[in-house]
Amino acid sequence: MNGVVMKTLFQRSIRMPLIAALLIIAATCVARAQDSRIQLTSLDHLAAKATQTVDLSIDERLMKLAAKFISDTGDEKEVKKLINGLKGIYVKNFEFETEGQYTAADLESIRTQLRAPGWTRMMNVTSKKEGTLDVYLMLAGEQISGLAVLHSDAKELTVVNIVGPVDLEKLAQLEGQLGIPDLGIEPQKPKKKNEEK
């Protein structure tokens, strides 16, 4: 009788930590699935084919360091406020001399990540001259917790990933700053009094 009780207790004492460990692992996987950082290393092989490459990785630690060198006056003050809450800015840009240097599979490696739960495609623009522009947002409730921009044309491929809370109205101020290319985001202009009528 004692042997049966001991065996049952032993099985339960092993099972409980195992279940707890599995729950922790599952929670970690869910948290990672909701992370707004996308992996861009699948594009690294394109650098050998490119005539010009931009590879920018600014994590939260470097973001805080960069903020120290941004002025507290004028337009730079607004940029400083905007980057203070960000967790990272990651940019990959490849310019090629000839067409056909990257494949649909290269783009698919990024798009697959952007189809994960939490990501929503906000905009898609396709032009024969300008290529394709996709803008994705990661939403946490009503808050934007990340942004990804994928631009591709015959001779250029660009991916921008901003991790952390993003204010779309202020995002245009980051264009041309910290290695972020012009994304074509225009802030809304305030209406004049006679236009409001």
Side-chain angles (χ1 to χ4, degrees):
M1 199 77 176
N2 270 346
V4 173
V5 172
M6 290 299 288
K7 186 177 179 183
T8 304
L9 286 175
F10 181 73
Q11 286 174 338
R12 282 188 185 170
S13 64
I14 287 180
R15 219 180 287 167
M16 292 307 282
L18 182 61
I19 291 170
L22 289 173
L23 288 173
I24 290 169
I25 291 168
T28 303
C29 291
V30 169
R32 283 184 181 237
Q34 295 298 318
D35 187 8
S36 59
R37 170 122 189 241
I38 58 175
Q39 297 304 312
L40 303 176
T41 53
S42 64
L43 302 176
D44 288 348
H45 70 280
L46 297 175
K49 302 175 183 181
T51 54
Q52 181 175 323
T53 303
V54 174
D55 187 355
L56 176 77
S57 292
I58 304 175
D59 62 13
E60 189 173 12
R61 182 178 46 89
L62 290 174
M63 194 81 65
K64 287 178 181 175
L65 183 63
K68 291 180 183 179
F69 296 100
I70 298 175
S71 172
D72 285 329
T73 59
D75 289 342
E76 288 189 15
K77 181 180 181 180
E78 293 303 313
V79 171
K80 191 171 188 173
K81 270 198 252 180
L82 183 59
I83 69 169
N84 270 339
L86 296 180
K87 305 291 182 199
I89 298 174
Y90 305 92
V91 177
K92 292 253 189 203
N93 171 263
F94 304 96
E95 291 182 24
F96 307 101
E97 194 160 323
T98 58
E99 297 180 13
Q101 298 301 308
Y102 64 90
T103 66
D106 293 321
L107 295 176
E108 189 59 24
S109 71
I110 304 301
R111 288 196 171 114
T112 297
Q113 296 176 67
L114 296 172
R115 285 193 286 268
W119 284 106
T120 301
R121 187 164 76 173
M122 182 183 92
M123 178 174 71
N124 170 259
V125 179
T126 303
S127 161
K128 289 183 180 179
K129 290 183 181 179
E130 306 276 329
T132 302
L133 174 71
D134 291 304
V135 178
Y136 295 83
L137 300 176
M138 176 166 272
L139 300 171
E142 297 294 315
Q143 298 292 326
I144 298 171
S145 62
L147 175 132
V149 177
L150 177 59
H151 176 261
S152 58
D153 65 29
K155 296 183 180 179
E156 187 172 3
L157 176 61
T158 304
V159 183
V160 177
N161 181 210
I162 299 176
V163 180
V166 177
D167 183 338
L168 288 180
E169 290 180 12
K170 295 179 181 176
L171 183 62
Q173 296 171 8
L174 275 182
E175 294 177 325
Q177 305 278 338
L178 302 172
I180 296 176
D182 183 5
L183 303 173
I185 298 170
E186 294 183 21
Q188 291 181 345
K189 295 176 183 172
K191 291 183 179 179
K192 295 179 182 173
K193 288 186 179 183
N194 55 4
E195 288 180 12
E196 291 177 354
K197 294 179 181 177

